Amino acid sequence: MLHELVRSTNVRSVGYSQAERALEVAFHSGGLYRYDNVPPDVHSALMASPSKGSFLAQFIKGRYPYRPISS
């Protein structure tokens, strides 16, 4: 999955597959997580958000199933 680097103190990059509705988030700390069943509009809103970490905490974590890919 292709990742796009983002400006964030916490998040390094974000990848998204619309076909799989899968969101991948790589953190500066080295962790990489995959969130499943994420709608395209949620990905778009994340990318448009001025605070990626706050958006993740408020609208993604705890709402979509996830698994670590690496930590």
Side-chain angles (χ1 to χ4, degrees):
M1 182 180 301
L2 185 63
H3 278 232
E4 182 178 339
L5 294 175
V6 296
R7 276 201 140 137
S8 171
T9 56
N10 195 22
V11 178
R12 182 172 55 86
S13 66
V14 174
Y16 185 70
S17 168
Q18 190 166 349
E20 297 178 53
R21 293 174 57 106
L23 177 75
E24 289 183 358
V25 180
F27 294 91
H28 289 296
S29 63
L32 175 62
Y33 293 85
R34 179 181 172 118
Y35 295 85
D36 294 315
N37 302 317
V38 178
D41 60 320
V42 173
H43 167 252
S44 296
L46 168 64
M47 297 308 285
S49 174
S51 175
K52 307 298 186 258
S54 293
F55 188 93
L56 276 169
Q58 189 172 0
F59 298 106
I60 296 175
K61 290 182 180 179
R63 293 184 182 216
Y64 300 98
Y66 77 95
R67 67 180 183 276
I69 296 174
S70 66
S71 53

